Amino acid sequence: MAGPRIALFIPCFVEALAPATAGNLRRLCDRLALDWYQPREQTCCGQPSFNAGFWREAARCAAKFLTDFADADAVVAPSASCVAMVRRYVELAALSSEQRAAAIEIGRRTHEICSYLVDVLRIVDVGASYHGAVAYHDACHALRGLGIREQPRALLRHVRGLDLRELPGGPQCCGFGGTFSVKYPEISASMADARLAALEATGTATLVSTDLSCLQHLGGRAERRGQPFIGFHVVDLLAAQGPV
Amino acid sequence: MRQDIRDRSRDLLRDDKLQDNLRRALGHTLDRRAALVAENPGWAELRDRARDLRDESLRRLPELRAQVERQVRGRGGGFHFCRDAAEARARVIEILDRAGAVEVVKGKSMVSEEIALNAALEARGIAVFEGDLGELIVQLRGERPAHITAPALHLDRRQIAALFRRALGQDVDDDPVRLAAAARRFLRPHFLGADAGITGANFVVAESGSVVLVENESNIRLATTLPRLHIAITGIEKLVPRLADLAPLLALLPVSATGQKASAAVSILGGPRPSGEDDGPREFHLVLVDNGRQALISDPILRPALRCIRCGACLNVCPVFQRIGGHGYGAIYPGPIGVVLARALLGRSDGAHAFACSLCGACDEICPVQVPLSRLILEVRRRAQQDAGVTAERMAHAAFAEMAQWPRLFKMALAASRAAIRWWPRWFSTSLTGGWTDLRAWPRPRRDGELRRRTGSGAT
Ligand code: SF4
């Protein structure tokens, strides 16, 4: 295998809530003959603490990440919000100046999976097939944090048999926001409701996104509302080779 | 305070009428704005220029302040710099008293809200009439503005008509033209009879000492020309160096604020009426208020908040503001920019406002002067947690960060949580999370069999 050695970063909530997505990511990398490995020591990028205002705690996670991924040619993660976090490590005052210098370096080499495939490897057809209609949800951290808009759509359009639909009303936050949904659950649920109504209007119950946290949040709300909902990570569909 | 926003939000979310009004008003403004931005290829460049200009102003503030003082005094106007809200209120009252003013008409001014000027004037026996339609409406209702540029956006025409019938004794239906006419009928004698007009200022030009006011209803032109005394009160950050600087700012402001290409009127006022001329007030005062702004300028991280030109676009686009409106926040500066302003200018330091945000970043994208709002919100959160000291929340994050140092322990904890989440009863998670799971099911590990069946993929 030629090319860069890719370290996969599997976010902790993916590990906890959707281990199959991690597996799908590895299968996808194999199919594309990428030289990947998964550093065994990895844990959490620190984003939950960062967003909640606990930057010293976030810096401890950041320091560990910087050590765990120091040698990787590229770090690839199935989560835009974690990648956006890594790219902001430099703002953490609790890190040493060497660590912050390393953060800039590693931040440059760290990519969300769709962006890595399309922007770096220039691949849009990963040879996947999936029969069915799905709507795409722009995760805020992907769209505004990393400027990812077309990449996942291009990849999904090349999945054979897949009917890609847009949510009416354009990109809107799902209302998760981590600590926000705990502190203001009613507002957060109202935001989810708006997204779920948009999903309903597309005529499919399947929503796909770069970030599982949005999908978990929307899925939980859909369950309470009794609305059919299936959430897929983009990677689940890119790994799919079902009958068309 | 944290609980206050949540408590209010519960009621506001249940208020269907309010939800409807907010959706309609904000939706229209955003749609019109989007259309105008789409047809303007120079928008991004305008934003860059405006940001640079605002930064230049903030950098040169002491010098600009001296310049504007010279200009205003040179033309016979009064110039006042007030360190805080109390000083500003006292100064305005002093000016009014000296002029023997007992009735005031006002143009829309958020700084006057910030320093709670109306209440101070009324306590002094000075009658205050808001001249802006939206401000008049909230004044008549005994409310504070629900938005920094659209004070009455939480109400619809029918509610306003009912208010006018009740409070003004005018027999009006909900036709907007007739509503405006009713307000005009009520206000006209006050414009003519008022001793003083008090307005804000969208910008103050240092090189000419002129006050720039943007409006749609012409009430500001009346308030600044009919009474014998005009007082303009605004924050020190509204200074700009040159008249030419107004071009990009005035191109961005109405599009961002109301989705209009241009506002109906822009007044550039030069102070008191020169002798031999017939127009303008005989007496003019510019009151510049600090009230926490200087401290904000010296703050290396929060400083860009003072670029703000108070267009309100970040409120309009904020999914939280869209649901609770300005009254939900309980601060006259609501929404994304309000997170910083409420802390720095209104002294609200608990961070409640900062956490009423999903960090979606829509505000960053829309702000015409590129205030990095979500970055500032994160910073306010950080400081609020620092101020709070050792809390249960901090200890939980500290424990998590510690666990993250031990990969094997961390993986075991993840596996345990996976199992626990799958099996624990609903009442348990509900009591743990204070209502979170009343509204949404606890995130469950996905059934991977289903995933396999649907995608033909297998978990490894
Ligand atoms: S922060 Fe930006 S978008 Fe918000 S009111 Fe100020 S200028 Fe407008």
Side-chain angles (χ1 to χ4, degrees):
Chain A
M1 282 189 238
R5 250 172 93 63
I6 299 163
L8 298 183
F9 175 64
I10 307 300
C12 45
F13 57 89
V14 173
E15 188 77 50
L17 298 170
T21 294
N24 283 333
L25 176 61
R26 292 185 286 263
R27 282 169 6 98
L28 176 66
C29 289
D30 281 341
R31 202 165 72 217
L32 297 172
L34 304 180
D35 182 11
W36 66 269
Y37 69 109
Q38 194 175 322
R40 292 178 57 90
E41 300 292 295
Q42 60 172 282
T43 53
C44 172
C45 68
Q47 184 193 192
S49 299
F50 183 75
N51 287 349
F54 299 110
W55 288 23
R56 238 179 316 127
E57 288 72 10
R60 292 199 67 200
C61 293
K64 173 144 178 46
F65 185 100
L66 293 171
T67 314
D68 294 342
F69 291 91
D71 303 329
D73 295 334
V75 182
V76 172
S79 159
S81 64
C82 296
V83 172
M85 176 74 259
V86 171
R87 295 204 181 155
R88 309 187 70 149
Y89 280 170
V90 64
E91 294 172 39
L92 292 169
L95 294 180
S96 68
S97 52
E98 295 86 61
Q99 282 171 318
R100 269 178 282 152
I104 294 174
E105 274 309 304
I106 293 183
R108 258 188 227 125
R109 284 183 267 136
T110 302
H111 305 272
E112 186 279 331
I113 176 71
C114 297
S115 156
Y116 187 68
L117 292 175
V118 176
D119 300 332
V120 180
L121 299 182
R122 308 267 163 215
I123 300 174
V124 286
D125 188 346
V126 297
S129 51
Y130 172 85
H131 181 75
V134 305
Y136 179 76
H137 167 71
D138 287 284
C140 298
H141 284 119
L143 181 71
R144 304 196 184 95
L146 302 175
I148 294 174
R149 187 189 181 99
E150 274 314 306
Q151 300 90 324
R153 287 180 171 83
L155 289 161
L156 289 168
R157 258 185 240 112
H158 283 84
V159 175
R160 269 158 284 282
L162 187 147
D163 169 11
L164 181 63
R165 302 190 180 165
E166 291 290 332
L167 293 168
Q172 295 287 337
C173 178
C174 71
F176 176 55
T179 176
F180 166 70
S181 66
V182 180
K183 291 192 199 294
Y184 297 100
E186 294 83 7
I187 305 174
S188 162
S190 160
M191 289 162 69
D193 286 347
R195 277 283 82 176
L196 290 170
L199 175 63
E200 206 160 29
T202 64
T204 171
T206 305
L207 194 63
V208 54
S209 184
T210 51
D211 284 68
L212 275 170
S213 43
C214 305
L215 297 173
Q216 287 286 347
H217 167 70
L218 290 169
R221 179 63 185 160
E223 191 178 323
R224 279 286 174 275
R225 283 165 47 114
Q227 180 178 337
F229 179 92
I230 299 162
F232 281 141
H233 193 283
V234 181
V235 158
D236 295 327
L237 296 179
L238 298 183
Q241 292 197 298
V244 177
Chain B
M1 265 332 240
R2 182 164 300 176
Q3 208 53 32
D4 287 354
I5 297 185
R6 182 166 172 204
D7 285 345
R8 278 191 297 269
S9 79
R10 285 205 188 101
D11 296 335
L12 296 167
L13 284 163
R14 259 186 248 120
D15 183 343
D16 292 339
K17 175 106 239 158
L18 172 77
Q19 293 298 315
D20 227 50
N21 295 346
L22 287 171
R23 212 176 357 252
R24 208 173 334 202
L26 297 173
H28 279 167
T29 304
L30 286 170
D31 288 348
R32 284 194 306 254
R33 176 201 168 274
L36 286 172
V37 171
E39 71 185 33
N40 184 346
W43 185 259
E45 199 190 317
L46 263 178
R47 283 179 88 215
D48 285 348
R49 270 178 64 204
R51 175 202 54 206
D52 294 347
L53 265 173
R54 293 299 297 134
D55 283 346
E56 182 195 343
S57 299
L58 296 178
R59 240 184 353 255
R60 296 177 49 196
L61 218 45
E63 166 205 341
L64 298 180
R65 198 175 101 197
Q67 199 180 1
V68 88
E69 175 168 6
R70 272 197 307 279
Q71 289 293 335
V72 169
R73 287 196 198 281
R75 268 205 298 276
F79 176 90
H80 313 267
F81 172 72
C82 301
R83 261 161 313 170
D84 57 23
E87 194 183 336
R89 287 191 298 264
R91 192 59 58 89
V92 171
I93 288 173
E94 196 186 307
I95 298 167
L96 291 171
D97 280 354
R98 213 178 302 140
V102 293
E103 186 176 325
V104 166
V105 279
K106 280 184 67 204
K108 211 186 120 32
S109 151
M110 284 312 292
V111 170
S112 79
E113 296 283 346
E114 176 186 323
I115 64 169
L117 183 62
N118 286 13
L121 296 184
E122 277 155 11
R124 187 83 188 174
I126 299 169
V128 182
F129 296 93
E130 290 287 350
D132 174 89
L133 180 58
E135 288 286 347
L136 173 67
I137 292 165
V138 293
Q139 185 187 31
L140 291 173
R141 282 172 61 100
E143 287 178 331
R144 311 213 71 181
H147 187 286
I148 61 174
T149 58
L153 96 160
H154 57 307
L155 304 170
D156 72 4
R157 287 184 275 150
R158 222 163 319 151
Q159 291 166 300
I160 295 165
L163 171 73
F164 280 7
R165 282 195 293 269
R166 195 174 64 238
L168 304 183
Q170 300 221 24
D171 183 26
V172 281
D173 58 24
D174 59 4
D175 176 73
V177 178
R178 279 193 285 273
L179 281 177
R184 216 172 303 136
R185 261 197 309 279
F186 168 72
L187 285 171
R188 197 44 55 102
H190 296 300
F191 277 118
L192 291 169
D195 308 301
I198 298 181
T199 67
N202 292 95
F203 305 103
V204 177
V205 181
E207 69 175 0
S208 59
S210 26
V211 167
V212 183
L213 285 155
V214 178
E215 64 168 327
N216 276 319
E217 298 168 7
S218 288
N219 64 299
I220 287 178
R221 301 178 79 164
L222 297 177
T224 54
T225 50
L226 290 176
R228 57 193 156 89
L229 165 64
H230 171 209
I231 303 172
I233 177 164
T234 195
I236 44 167
E237 84 280 18
K238 294 293 181 67
L239 292 175
V240 297
R242 300 154 295 255
L243 270 166
D245 301 336
L246 295 175
L249 297 171
L250 291 178
L252 290 164
L253 180 58
V255 176
S256 303
T258 48
Q260 292 169 285
K261 200 160 196 165
S263 47
V266 176
S267 308
I268 301 181
L269 304 169
R273 173 198 308 186
S275 55
E277 284 194 28
D278 306 329
D279 280 338
R282 254 162 290 167
E283 189 179 342
F284 167 79
H285 295 265
L286 175 62
V287 178
L288 292 184
V289 181
D290 183 327
N291 203 31
R293 288 166 174 79
Q294 201 56 58
L296 206 46
I297 289 173
S298 325
D299 187 314
I301 294 169
L302 297 181
R303 170 188 179 129
L306 287 176
R307 287 178 192 156
C308 174
I309 57 173
R310 304 286 190 277
C311 71
C314 58
L315 281 54
N316 300 345
V317 83
C318 171
V320 175
F321 184 92
Q322 287 171 356
R323 285 167 172 80
I324 66 173
H327 292 154
Y329 296 85
I332 56 125
Y333 293 123
I337 188 63
V339 170
V340 183
L341 298 185
R343 185 178 168 96
L345 310 184
L346 307 174
R348 273 185 54 165
S349 57
D350 57 12
H353 192 150
F355 284 99
C357 160
S358 67
L359 294 174
C360 76
C363 48
D364 299 331
E365 211 171 55
I366 206 167
C367 176
V369 289
Q370 301 183 41
V371 176
L373 287 151
S374 57
R375 170 71 183 87
L376 304 187
I377 291 168
L378 280 167
E379 177 66 12
V380 173
R381 287 184 179 187
R382 192 186 68 77
R383 293 183 191 183
Q385 299 287 27
Q386 208 167 40
D387 298 345
V390 181
T391 57
E393 201 183 358
R394 178 177 291 278
M395 277 160 58
H397 281 269
F400 180 83
E402 177 58 33
M403 208 160 64
Q405 307 303 311
W406 306 95
R408 288 185 51 195
L409 181 70
F410 190 81
K411 296 235 155 71
M412 273 157 57
L414 286 183
S417 69
R418 190 156 59 215
I421 290 167
R422 199 189 297 266
W423 299 115
W424 70 30
R426 183 174 163 188
W427 62 262
F428 179 58
S429 56
T430 303
S431 61
L432 251 186
T433 56
W436 201 72
T437 44
D438 289 344
L439 296 166
R440 62 182 69 54
W442 189 266
R444 289 184 192 279
R446 204 175 37 195
R447 286 157 303 173
D448 291 333
E450 161 114 350
L451 177 70
R452 256 193 301 279
R453 191 171 55 71
R454 296 187 62 92
T455 62
S457 318
T460 45

